[in-house]
Coordinates of all heavy atoms in Angstrom, one line a residue:
N194 N -38.6 9.0 -187.0 CA -37.7 10.1 -186.8 C -38.0 11.2 -187.8 O -38.1 10.9 -189.0 CB -36.2 9.6 -187.0 CG -35.8 8.7 -185.9 OD1 -36.3 8.7 -184.8 ND2 -34.8 7.9 -186.1
K195 N -38.1 12.4 -187.3 CA -38.3 13.5 -188.2 C -37.0 14.1 -188.7 O -36.0 14.0 -188.0 CB -39.2 14.5 -187.6 CG -38.5 15.5 -186.6 CD -39.4 16.6 -186.1 CE -38.7 17.7 -185.4 NZ -38.0 18.6 -186.2
R196 N -37.1 14.7 -189.9 CA -35.9 15.3 -190.4 C -35.7 16.6 -189.6 O -36.6 17.3 -189.3 CB -36.3 15.7 -191.9 CG -35.2 15.6 -192.8 CD -35.7 15.9 -194.2 NE -34.6 16.7 -194.8 CZ -34.8 17.4 -195.9 NH1 -35.9 17.5 -196.5 NH2 -33.8 18.1 -196.3
P197 N -34.4 16.9 -189.3 CA -34.1 18.2 -188.6 C -34.6 19.4 -189.4 O -34.5 19.4 -190.6 CB -32.6 18.1 -188.5 CG -32.2 16.7 -188.6 CD -33.2 16.1 -189.6
D198 N -35.0 20.4 -188.7 CA -35.5 21.6 -189.3 C -34.7 22.8 -188.7 O -34.0 22.7 -187.6 CB -37.0 21.8 -189.0 CG -37.7 22.7 -189.9 OD1 -37.0 23.3 -190.9 OD2 -38.9 23.0 -189.7
T199 N -34.8 23.9 -189.3 CA -34.1 25.1 -188.8 C -34.5 25.4 -187.3 O -35.7 25.3 -187.0 CB -34.5 26.3 -189.7 OG1 -34.1 26.1 -191.0 CG2 -33.8 27.6 -189.2
G200 N -33.5 25.6 -186.5 CA -33.7 25.9 -185.1 C -33.5 24.6 -184.2 O -33.3 24.8 -183.0
D201 N -33.6 23.5 -184.8 CA -33.4 22.2 -184.1 C -32.0 22.1 -183.6 O -31.0 22.6 -184.2 CB -33.8 21.0 -184.9 CG -35.2 20.8 -185.1 OD1 -36.0 21.5 -184.5 OD2 -35.6 19.9 -185.9
I202 N -31.8 21.4 -182.5 CA -30.5 21.1 -181.9 C -30.3 19.6 -182.2 O -31.1 18.8 -182.0 CB -30.4 21.4 -180.4 CG1 -30.6 22.9 -180.2 CG2 -29.0 21.0 -179.9 CD1 -30.8 23.2 -178.7
V203 N -29.1 19.3 -182.8 CA -28.8 18.0 -183.3 C -27.5 17.4 -182.8 O -26.6 18.2 -182.5 CB -28.8 17.9 -184.8 CG1 -30.2 18.2 -185.4 CG2 -27.8 18.8 -185.5
L204 N -27.4 16.1 -182.7 CA -26.2 15.4 -182.4 C -25.7 15.0 -183.8 O -26.4 14.3 -184.5 CB -26.4 14.2 -181.5 CG -25.2 13.4 -181.1 CD1 -24.2 14.3 -180.3 CD2 -25.6 12.2 -180.3
V205 N -24.4 15.4 -184.1 CA -23.9 15.2 -185.5 C -22.5 14.7 -185.4 O -21.7 15.1 -184.4 CB -24.0 16.5 -186.3 CG1 -23.3 17.6 -185.7 CG2 -23.6 16.2 -187.7
L206 N -22.1 13.9 -186.3 CA -20.7 13.5 -186.4 C -19.8 14.5 -187.1 O -20.2 15.0 -188.2 CB -20.5 12.1 -187.1 CG -21.1 10.9 -186.4 CD1 -21.1 9.7 -187.3 CD2 -20.4 10.7 -185.1
H207 N -18.7 14.9 -186.5 CA -17.9 15.9 -187.1 C -17.4 15.4 -188.5 O -16.9 14.3 -188.6 CB -16.7 16.2 -186.2 CG -15.9 17.4 -186.5 ND1 -15.2 17.6 -187.6 CD2 -15.8 18.6 -185.8 CE1 -14.6 18.8 -187.6 NE2 -15.0 19.4 -186.5
P208 N -17.5 16.2 -189.5 CA -17.1 15.8 -190.9 C -15.6 15.6 -191.1 O -15.2 14.9 -192.0 CB -17.7 16.9 -191.8 CG -17.8 18.1 -190.9 CD -18.1 17.6 -189.5
Q209 N -14.8 16.2 -190.2 CA -13.4 16.1 -190.4 C -12.7 15.3 -189.3 O -11.5 15.1 -189.4 CB -12.8 17.5 -190.4 CG -13.3 18.3 -191.6 CD -12.9 19.8 -191.5 OE1 -12.5 20.3 -190.5 NE2 -12.9 20.4 -192.7
R210 N -13.4 14.9 -188.3 CA -12.9 14.1 -187.2 C -13.7 12.9 -187.0 O -14.7 12.9 -186.2 CB -12.8 14.9 -185.9 CG -11.8 16.1 -186.0 CD -11.8 16.9 -184.7 NE -11.4 16.1 -183.6 CZ -11.5 16.6 -182.3 NH1 -11.9 17.8 -182.1 NH2 -11.1 15.8 -181.3
P211 N -13.5 11.8 -187.7 CA -14.3 10.6 -187.6 C -14.5 10.1 -186.2 O -13.6 10.1 -185.4 CB -13.5 9.5 -188.4 CG -12.6 10.4 -189.3 CD -12.3 11.6 -188.6
G212 N -15.8 9.8 -185.9 CA -16.2 9.3 -184.6 C -16.3 10.3 -183.5 O -16.6 10.0 -182.4
F213 N -16.2 11.6 -183.9 CA -16.3 12.7 -182.9 C -17.7 13.3 -183.0 O -18.0 14.0 -183.9 CB -15.2 13.8 -183.2 CG -15.2 14.9 -182.2 CD1 -14.6 14.7 -180.9 CD2 -15.7 16.1 -182.5 CE1 -14.6 15.7 -180.0 CE2 -15.7 17.1 -181.5 CZ -15.2 16.9 -180.3
P214 N -18.5 13.1 -182.0 CA -19.9 13.7 -182.0 C -19.8 15.1 -181.4 O -19.0 15.4 -180.6 CB -20.7 12.7 -181.1 CG -19.7 12.2 -180.2 CD -18.4 12.1 -180.9
M215 N -20.8 15.9 -181.9 CA -20.9 17.2 -181.4 C -22.3 17.7 -181.4 O -23.1 17.1 -182.2 CB -20.0 18.2 -182.2 CG -20.3 18.2 -183.7 SD -19.0 19.2 -184.5 CE -19.6 19.0 -186.2
I216 N -22.7 18.6 -180.6 CA -24.1 19.1 -180.6 C -24.1 20.5 -181.2 O -23.3 21.4 -180.8 CB -24.6 19.2 -179.1 CG1 -24.7 17.8 -178.6 CG2 -25.9 19.9 -179.1 CD1 -25.1 17.7 -177.1
K217 N -25.0 20.7 -182.2 CA -25.0 22.0 -182.9 C -26.5 22.3 -183.2 O -27.4 21.5 -183.2 CB -24.3 21.9 -184.3 CG -22.8 21.6 -184.1 CD -22.0 22.7 -183.5 CE -20.6 22.3 -183.2 NZ -19.9 23.2 -182.4
R218 N -26.7 23.6 -183.6 CA -28.0 24.1 -183.9 C -28.1 24.2 -185.5 O -27.2 24.7 -186.1 CB -28.3 25.4 -183.3 CG -29.7 25.9 -183.5 CD -30.0 27.3 -182.8 NE -29.7 27.2 -181.4 CZ -30.5 26.8 -180.5 NH1 -31.7 26.4 -180.8 NH2 -30.1 26.8 -179.2
V219 N -29.2 23.7 -186.0 CA -29.4 23.8 -187.5 C -29.9 25.2 -187.8 O -30.9 25.7 -187.2 CB -30.5 22.8 -188.0 CG1 -30.8 23.0 -189.4 CG2 -30.1 21.4 -187.6
T220 N -29.1 25.9 -188.7 CA -29.4 27.3 -189.0 C -30.0 27.4 -190.4 O -30.6 28.4 -190.8 CB -28.3 28.2 -188.8 OG1 -27.2 27.8 -189.6 CG2 -27.9 28.3 -187.4
A221 N -29.8 26.3 -191.2 CA -30.3 26.3 -192.6 C -30.4 24.9 -193.1 O -29.6 24.0 -192.8 CB -29.4 27.1 -193.5
V222 N -31.5 24.6 -193.8 CA -31.7 23.3 -194.4 C -31.7 23.5 -195.9 O -32.5 24.3 -196.4 CB -33.1 22.6 -193.9 CG1 -33.3 21.3 -194.6 CG2 -33.1 22.5 -192.4
L223 N -30.8 22.8 -196.6 CA -30.7 23.0 -198.0 C -31.5 21.9 -198.7 O -31.7 20.8 -198.2 CB -29.2 23.0 -198.4 CG -28.4 24.0 -197.7 CD1 -26.9 23.9 -198.1 CD2 -28.9 25.4 -197.9
D224 N -31.8 22.1 -200.0 CA -32.7 21.2 -200.7 C -32.1 19.8 -200.9 O -32.8 18.8 -201.0 CB -33.0 21.7 -202.1 CG -33.9 22.9 -202.0 OD1 -34.6 23.1 -201.0 OD2 -33.9 23.7 -203.0
D225 N -30.8 19.7 -201.0 CA -30.1 18.4 -201.2 C -29.7 17.6 -200.0 O -28.7 16.9 -200.0 CB -28.9 18.6 -202.2 CG -27.9 19.5 -201.5 OD1 -28.2 20.2 -200.5 OD2 -26.8 19.6 -202.1
D226 N -30.5 17.7 -198.9 CA -30.3 17.0 -197.7 C -29.0 17.4 -197.0 O -28.2 16.5 -196.5 CB -30.4 15.5 -197.8 CG -30.6 14.7 -196.5 OD1 -31.2 15.3 -195.6 OD2 -30.0 13.6 -196.4
R227 N -28.7 18.6 -197.1 CA -27.5 19.2 -196.4 C -27.9 20.2 -195.4 O -28.9 20.9 -195.6 CB -26.5 19.7 -197.5 CG -26.0 18.6 -198.4 CD -24.8 18.9 -199.1 NE -23.6 19.1 -198.3 CZ -22.8 18.2 -197.8 NH1 -23.1 16.9 -198.0 NH2 -21.8 18.5 -197.0
Y228 N -27.1 20.4 -194.4 CA -27.5 21.2 -193.3 C -26.3 22.2 -192.9 O -25.2 21.8 -193.0 CB -27.8 20.4 -192.1 CG -29.0 19.5 -192.3 CD1 -28.9 18.3 -192.9 CD2 -30.3 19.9 -191.9 CE1 -29.9 17.5 -193.1 CE2 -31.4 19.1 -192.2 CZ -31.2 17.9 -192.7 OH -32.3 17.1 -193.0
F229 N -26.7 23.4 -192.6 CA -25.7 24.4 -192.1 C -25.9 24.4 -190.6 O -27.0 24.7 -190.1 CB -25.9 25.8 -192.7 CG -24.8 26.7 -192.5 CD1 -23.7 26.8 -193.4 CD2 -24.7 27.5 -191.4 CE1 -22.6 27.6 -193.2 CE2 -23.7 28.4 -191.2 CZ -22.6 28.5 -192.1
L230 N -24.8 24.2 -189.9 CA -24.9 24.1 -188.4 C -24.1 25.2 -187.8 O -23.0 25.5 -188.3 CB -24.4 22.7 -188.0 CG -25.0 21.5 -188.6 CD1 -24.3 20.2 -188.2 CD2 -26.5 21.4 -188.3
R231 N -24.5 25.7 -186.6 CA -23.8 26.6 -185.8 C -23.8 26.2 -184.4 O -24.8 25.7 -183.9 CB -24.4 28.0 -185.9 CG -24.3 28.6 -187.3 CD -23.6 29.8 -187.6 NE -22.9 30.6 -186.7 CZ -23.0 32.0 -186.7 NH1 -23.7 32.6 -187.6 NH2 -22.3 32.7 -185.8
G232 N -22.7 26.5 -183.7 CA -22.7 26.3 -182.3 C -23.3 27.5 -181.6 O -23.3 28.7 -182.1
D233 N -23.9 27.3 -180.4 CA -24.5 28.4 -179.7 C -23.5 29.4 -179.1 O -23.8 30.6 -178.9 CB -25.4 27.9 -178.6 CG -26.7 27.4 -179.1 OD1 -27.0 27.5 -180.3 OD2 -27.4 26.8 -178.3
N234 N -22.3 29.0 -178.9 CA -21.2 29.9 -178.5 C -20.3 30.2 -179.7 O -19.3 29.7 -179.9 CB -20.3 29.2 -177.4 CG -19.3 30.1 -176.8 OD1 -19.1 31.2 -177.2 ND2 -18.5 29.6 -175.9
A235 N -20.9 31.1 -180.5 CA -20.3 31.4 -181.9 C -18.8 31.7 -181.9 O -18.1 31.4 -182.8 CB -21.1 32.5 -182.5
S236 N -18.4 32.5 -180.9 CA -17.0 32.9 -180.9 C -16.0 31.7 -180.6 O -14.8 31.8 -180.9 CB -16.7 34.0 -179.9 OG -16.9 33.6 -178.6
Q237 N -16.5 30.7 -180.0 CA -15.6 29.5 -179.6 C -16.0 28.2 -180.3 O -15.4 27.2 -180.0 CB -15.7 29.3 -178.1 CG -15.2 30.5 -177.3 CD -13.8 30.8 -177.4 OE1 -13.0 29.9 -177.4 NE2 -13.4 32.0 -177.7
S238 N -16.9 28.3 -181.2 CA -17.5 27.0 -181.8 C -16.8 26.7 -183.1 O -16.5 27.6 -184.0 CB -19.0 27.2 -182.0 OG -19.5 26.0 -182.5
T239 N -16.6 25.4 -183.3 CA -16.2 24.9 -184.7 C -17.5 24.4 -185.3 O -18.2 23.6 -184.7 CB -15.2 23.7 -184.5 OG1 -14.1 24.2 -183.9 CG2 -14.8 23.2 -185.9
D240 N -17.9 25.0 -186.4 CA -19.2 24.6 -187.0 C -19.1 24.8 -188.5 O -18.0 24.8 -189.1 CB -20.3 25.4 -186.4 CG -20.1 26.9 -186.4 OD1 -19.4 27.5 -187.3 OD2 -20.5 27.6 -185.4
S241 N -20.3 24.9 -189.2 CA -20.3 25.0 -190.6 C -19.5 26.2 -191.2 O -19.2 26.2 -192.4 CB -21.8 25.0 -191.1 OG -22.3 23.7 -191.0
R242 N -19.3 27.2 -190.4 CA -18.5 28.3 -190.9 C -17.0 27.8 -191.1 O -16.3 28.4 -191.9 CB -18.5 29.4 -189.8 CG -19.8 30.1 -189.7 CD -19.9 31.0 -188.5 NE -19.6 30.3 -187.3 CZ -19.3 30.8 -186.1 NH1 -19.1 32.1 -186.0 NH2 -19.1 30.1 -185.1
D243 N -16.6 26.7 -190.5 CA -15.3 26.2 -190.6 C -15.3 25.0 -191.6 O -14.4 24.9 -192.4 CB -14.7 25.7 -189.3 CG -14.7 26.8 -188.2 OD1 -14.0 27.8 -188.5 OD2 -15.4 26.7 -187.2
F244 N -16.2 24.1 -191.5 CA -16.2 22.9 -192.3 C -17.3 22.7 -193.3 O -17.3 21.7 -194.0 CB -16.2 21.6 -191.4 CG -17.2 21.6 -190.3 CD1 -18.6 21.4 -190.7 CD2 -16.9 21.7 -189.0 CE1 -19.6 21.4 -189.7 CE2 -17.9 21.7 -188.0 CZ -19.2 21.5 -188.4
G245 N -18.1 23.8 -193.5 CA -19.1 23.7 -194.5 C -20.4 23.0 -194.1 O -20.5 22.6 -192.9
T246 N -21.2 22.7 -195.0 CA -22.5 22.0 -194.7 C -22.2 20.5 -194.4 O -21.1 20.0 -194.8 CB -23.5 22.1 -195.8 OG1 -22.9 21.5 -197.0 CG2 -23.9 23.6 -196.1
V247 N -23.1 19.9 -193.7 CA -23.0 18.5 -193.4 C -24.2 17.7 -194.1 O -25.3 18.2 -194.2 CB -22.9 18.2 -191.9 CG1 -21.7 18.8 -191.3 CG2 -24.2 18.6 -191.2
A248 N -23.9 16.5 -194.5 CA -24.9 15.6 -195.1 C -25.9 15.1 -194.0 O -25.4 14.9 -192.8 CB -24.3 14.5 -195.8
G249 N -27.1 14.9 -194.4 CA -28.1 14.4 -193.4 C -27.7 13.1 -192.8 O -28.0 12.8 -191.6
K250 N -26.9 12.3 -193.5 CA -26.5 11.0 -192.9 C -25.5 11.1 -191.8 O -25.3 10.2 -191.0 CB -25.9 10.1 -194.0 CG -24.6 10.6 -194.6 CD -24.1 9.7 -195.7 CE -22.8 10.3 -196.3 NZ -22.4 9.5 -197.4
Q251 N -24.9 12.3 -191.6 CA -24.0 12.6 -190.5 C -24.7 12.9 -189.2 O -24.1 12.9 -188.2 CB -23.0 13.7 -190.9 CG -22.0 13.3 -192.0 CD -21.2 14.4 -192.4 OE1 -21.6 15.2 -193.3 NE2 -20.0 14.6 -191.8
I252 N -26.0 13.3 -189.4 CA -26.8 13.6 -188.2 C -27.3 12.4 -187.5 O -28.0 11.6 -188.1 CB -27.9 14.6 -188.6 CG1 -27.3 15.9 -189.1 CG2 -28.9 14.8 -187.4 CD1 -28.4 16.9 -189.6
I253 N -26.9 12.2 -186.2 CA -27.3 11.0 -185.5 C -28.7 11.2 -185.0 O -29.5 10.2 -185.0 CB -26.4 10.8 -184.3 CG1 -24.9 10.6 -184.8 CG2 -26.8 9.7 -183.4 CD1 -23.9 10.7 -183.8
G254 N -29.1 12.4 -184.6 CA -30.5 12.5 -184.1 C -30.7 13.9 -183.5 O -29.8 14.7 -183.4
N255 N -32.0 14.2 -183.3 CA -32.3 15.5 -182.6 C -32.2 15.4 -181.1 O -32.4 14.4 -180.5 CB -33.8 15.8 -182.9 CG -34.0 16.2 -184.4 OD1 -33.2 16.0 -185.2 ND2 -35.2 16.8 -184.6
V256 N -31.7 16.5 -180.5 CA -31.7 16.6 -179.1 C -33.0 17.1 -178.6 O -33.5 18.1 -179.1 CB -30.6 17.6 -178.7 CG1 -30.6 17.8 -177.2 CG2 -29.2 17.1 -179.1
I257 N -33.7 16.3 -177.8 CA -35.0 16.7 -177.4 C -35.2 17.2 -176.0 O -36.2 17.6 -175.5 CB -36.0 15.5 -177.6 CG1 -35.5 14.3 -176.8 CG2 -36.1 15.2 -179.1 CD1 -36.5 13.1 -176.8
C258 N -34.1 17.2 -175.2 CA -34.1 17.7 -173.8 C -32.8 18.3 -173.5 O -31.7 17.8 -173.9 CB -34.4 16.5 -172.9 SG -34.4 17.0 -171.2
R259 N -32.8 19.4 -172.9 CA -31.6 20.0 -172.4 C -31.8 20.6 -171.0 O -32.9 21.0 -170.7 CB -31.0 21.1 -173.4 CG -31.9 22.3 -173.5 CD -31.3 23.2 -174.5 NE -32.1 24.4 -174.6 CZ -32.0 25.4 -175.4 NH1 -31.0 25.3 -176.2 NH2 -32.8 26.4 -175.5
F260 N -30.8 20.7 -170.2 CA -30.9 21.3 -168.9 C -30.4 22.7 -168.9 O -29.5 23.1 -169.6 CB -30.0 20.4 -167.9 CG -30.5 19.0 -167.9 CD1 -29.9 18.0 -168.6 CD2 -31.6 18.7 -167.0 CE1 -30.4 16.7 -168.6 CE2 -32.0 17.4 -166.9 CZ -31.4 16.4 -167.7
P261 N -31.0 23.5 -168.0 CA -30.7 24.9 -168.0 C -29.2 25.1 -167.4 O -28.6 24.3 -166.9 CB -31.7 25.5 -167.0 CG -32.3 24.4 -166.3 CD -32.1 23.2 -167.1

């Protein structure tokens, strides 16, 4: 498994809602294995603008396929 990079789409556990997975885009990778995530629908998305950065251990995996 590769470490997520800027621009990758990831499946991540919500940091404030245990067991709630969400799909977000990585917009920044910080040195201490923390990630800034944003939803593609910025006006309706709950993301790092609301809950801050997430730890790498909260990321379940990279999304490698999406449908149009």
Side-chain angles (χ1 to χ4, degrees):
N194 291 339
K195 79 173 190 79
R196 214 175 141 200
D198 201 3
T199 301
D201 286 352
I202 299 172
V203 295
L204 180 64
V205 61
L206 293 174
H207 195 292
Q209 298 171 340
R210 293 178 61 189
F213 183 77
M215 54 188 181
I216 296 175
K217 301 293 174 190
R218 186 178 305 275
V219 177
T220 58
V222 179
L223 308 176
D224 291 338
D225 57 351
D226 196 35
R227 299 201 60 84
Y228 297 85
F229 194 89
L230 307 174
R231 296 240 358 221
D233 284 351
N234 185 358
S236 66
Q237 299 295 315
S238 184
T239 301
D240 52 34
S241 287
R242 295 171 297 164
D243 302 299
F244 50 71
T246 60
V247 297
K250 67 182 179 181
Q251 291 173 272
I252 295 176
I253 298 166
N255 288 15
V256 176
I257 58 171
C258 180
R259 67 180 180 185
F260 296 96

